[in-house]
Amino acid sequence: MNQKNPLAGIRTGLGRFGDDMHDRWQITPGWQRWILYVALIVGALLLPSESLAPFMSPYTDWASILFFPIGTYVVLAIGLNVVVGQAGLLDLGFVAFYAVGGYAMALIGTRLGWNFWLILLVGIAICALSGITLGAPTLRLRGDYLAIVTLGFGEIIRITARNTDEIGGPNGIRGIPHPPSYEDLHLFGISIPNVFGVDPLKYGVLDPRPYYYLLVALAVIVIILVKRWEKSRVGRAWAAIREDEDAAEVMGVPTFRFKMLAFAIGASIGGAMGVLWAAKAISINPNDFQFLLSATILAAVVMGGAGNLPGVMLGAFVVAWLPERFRGLQEYRMLIFGAVLVALMIFRPEGLLPSRQRRAELKEGSGGMGTLGAEVPGPESHGEEAASK
């Protein structure tokens, strides 16, 4: 690499810094890691503080954008990362599962009057089934063919919702019930909040903080499950499929089954977020589930570092927060947002926090999204050569 080139020098410096942090984390004792995990959860719960609002969101209510788009994008990016970052399947229709979860909450909540927690479980099951339904006939496709099919699935869900009067058509569904508030909890006829003397957080229209705390709890559960899968035989199978599906199949990995599992898990996470979002929004319509949302979440996964959970969460935060931070600049805010994304892709083409394994794949030219990436040279295979000129 030509170190005289300042662009290549900056990229190399950032890469070394990331490697040093990764090496330090690998030798960190387990108890210190748990202290950091607890501190991060506490920090996430303290984020709605009004003291942060003047800097983080001077033009919009900070607590509101913490739930949507920031928190919502983070959870959706975790789900899409299972499909794209870990299994290497390019999914452009992820918003469809978010829509299915939202409509499950809206239909069951308004017509059957079920409890939110029961609807959440049913919504997750419906979305997992939707993922299997989509994956069964399509997961033998690869690369751009799979991307086109998933893109079509996302649009089919949205257009079907718009043209089906039984679910509200273009007007959508209104009057979706909120989750039960803490003050409504009773045990053997005794009010639990009165026993503990706690001022309850009420799930209503005005205060977004209870929904944000519920979203943090959902995110923690999802992160724990995803990390467990990543470290298990399932995660190793996904990595093998992502690197070379043919070689994995020859070595005895049931690739179709594991790809289906990745689709179902990703769909379940997207559907769970759809249920929670619909309960907060109290009304939904087909225009809430545009393809642009799928593209934005995919950009967050790629920019954060596909395959690396902390990187994906950081990428989702940046993608969701930047347009809100510069909202006061009106039409110029998207110009600044685009410039920041371009700059990040120049200096960190593997993502803000890429995993070493993914970076090695990108360097070999097998990067990108699964088999589609095999057709695209990695950013360091030609990018550094071009940058050094």
Side-chain angles (χ1 to χ4, degrees):
M1 179 185 306
N2 188 355
Q3 297 293 337
K4 294 181 180 179
N5 186 289
L7 180 61
I10 293 174
R11 287 173 52 183
T12 303
L14 291 173
R16 287 175 180 170
F17 176 76
D19 290 342
D20 292 342
M21 295 299 293
H22 182 268
D23 292 339
R24 187 170 300 180
W25 178 252
Q26 291 298 315
I27 60 174
T28 301
W31 65 271
Q32 292 183 9
R33 295 189 183 195
W34 277 107
I35 290 176
L36 181 60
Y37 294 150
V38 173
L40 289 173
I41 294 173
V42 173
L45 295 175
L46 295 177
L47 274 179
S49 171
E50 290 297 328
S51 60
L52 296 175
F55 172 74
M56 298 299 290
S57 179
Y59 309 104
T60 315
D61 180 58
W62 172 231
S64 294
I65 70 167
L66 266 179
F67 177 82
F68 186 90
I70 294 177
T72 301
Y73 280 20
V74 168
V75 175
L76 291 177
I78 294 172
L80 186 59
N81 182 57
V82 173
V83 181
V84 175
Q86 297 190 12
L89 306 170
L90 185 53
D91 184 358
L92 294 181
F94 193 67
V95 69
F97 306 115
Y98 181 57
V100 171
Y103 269 94
M105 176 67 209
L107 286 171
I108 299 175
T110 56
R111 300 185 181 180
L112 301 180
W114 289 8
N115 183 278
F116 168 80
W117 301 106
L118 184 56
I119 299 174
L120 179 62
L121 295 177
V122 173
I124 291 172
I126 292 175
C127 290
L129 185 61
S130 300
I132 294 172
T133 303
L134 171 64
T138 61
L139 283 179
R140 300 203 181 276
L141 301 174
R142 299 183 185 182
D144 45 356
Y145 299 104
L146 178 60
I148 292 170
V149 170
T150 52
L151 170 62
F153 178 72
E155 286 299 287
I156 288 172
I157 293 292
R158 185 178 66 83
I159 294 172
T160 301
R162 192 177 62 188
N163 292 286
T164 305
D165 294 334
E166 287 74 13
I167 57 174
N171 296 322
I173 300 175
R174 300 177 181 175
I176 303 170
H178 297 298
S181 297
Y182 179 60
E183 63 182 1
D184 298 331
L185 293 178
H186 290 77
L187 184 63
F188 303 114
I190 301 174
S191 174
I192 301 299
N194 291 338
V195 172
F196 292 98
V198 178
D199 184 20
L201 290 170
K202 184 176 179 60
Y203 289 99
V205 177
L206 299 179
D207 189 1
R209 291 176 303 159
Y211 300 97
Y212 171 72
Y213 297 141
L214 187 56
L215 188 150
V216 171
L218 173 64
V220 170
I221 294 172
V222 168
I223 289 169
I224 292 172
L225 292 175
V226 169
K227 289 300 291 183
R228 295 290 296 175
W229 283 318
E230 184 181 342
K231 299 293 184 184
S232 69
R233 175 172 172 264
V234 175
R236 293 192 293 274
W238 285 340
I241 294 170
R242 184 186 67 218
E243 291 181 14
D244 193 327
E245 184 175 342
D246 293 330
E249 194 157 4
V250 169
M251 295 299 292
V253 176
T255 56
F256 184 76
R257 186 194 310 170
F258 282 108
K259 288 196 297 184
M260 189 86 79
L261 180 61
F263 244 64
I265 291 173
S268 301
I269 297 172
M273 191 61 242
V275 170
L276 178 55
W277 176 79
K280 164 70 171 61
I282 70 171
S283 70
I284 61 174
N285 67 73
N287 289 331
D288 294 327
F289 310 105
Q290 302 277 354
F291 165 70
L292 182 61
L293 182 58
S294 286
T296 304
I297 301 301
L298 181 61
V301 170
V302 174
M303 195 184 75
N308 188 28
L309 198 54
V312 166
M313 295 171 64
L314 177 61
F317 181 91
V318 171
V319 167
W321 174 65
L322 279 178
E324 299 297 333
R325 178 63 181 82
F326 297 109
R327 182 170 288 278
L329 300 178
Q330 299 179 356
E331 64 268 23
Y332 296 106
R333 70 188 180 107
M334 297 312 295
L335 180 64
I336 295 174
F337 176 63
V340 171
L341 294 187
V342 170
L344 287 174
M345 287 295 97
I346 290 174
F347 292 107
R348 298 292 289 170
E350 312 94 344
L352 289 170
L353 295 174
S355 66
R356 284 188 169 181
Q357 188 175 1
R358 287 291 284 169
R359 192 168 58 186
E361 295 168 14
L362 288 163
K363 192 171 184 178
E364 291 174 358
S366 59
M369 301 301 147
T371 52
L372 177 64
E375 303 163 9
V376 182
E380 293 193 7
S381 59
H382 296 299
E384 289 188 356
E385 180 182 346
S388 63
K389 290 181 180 179

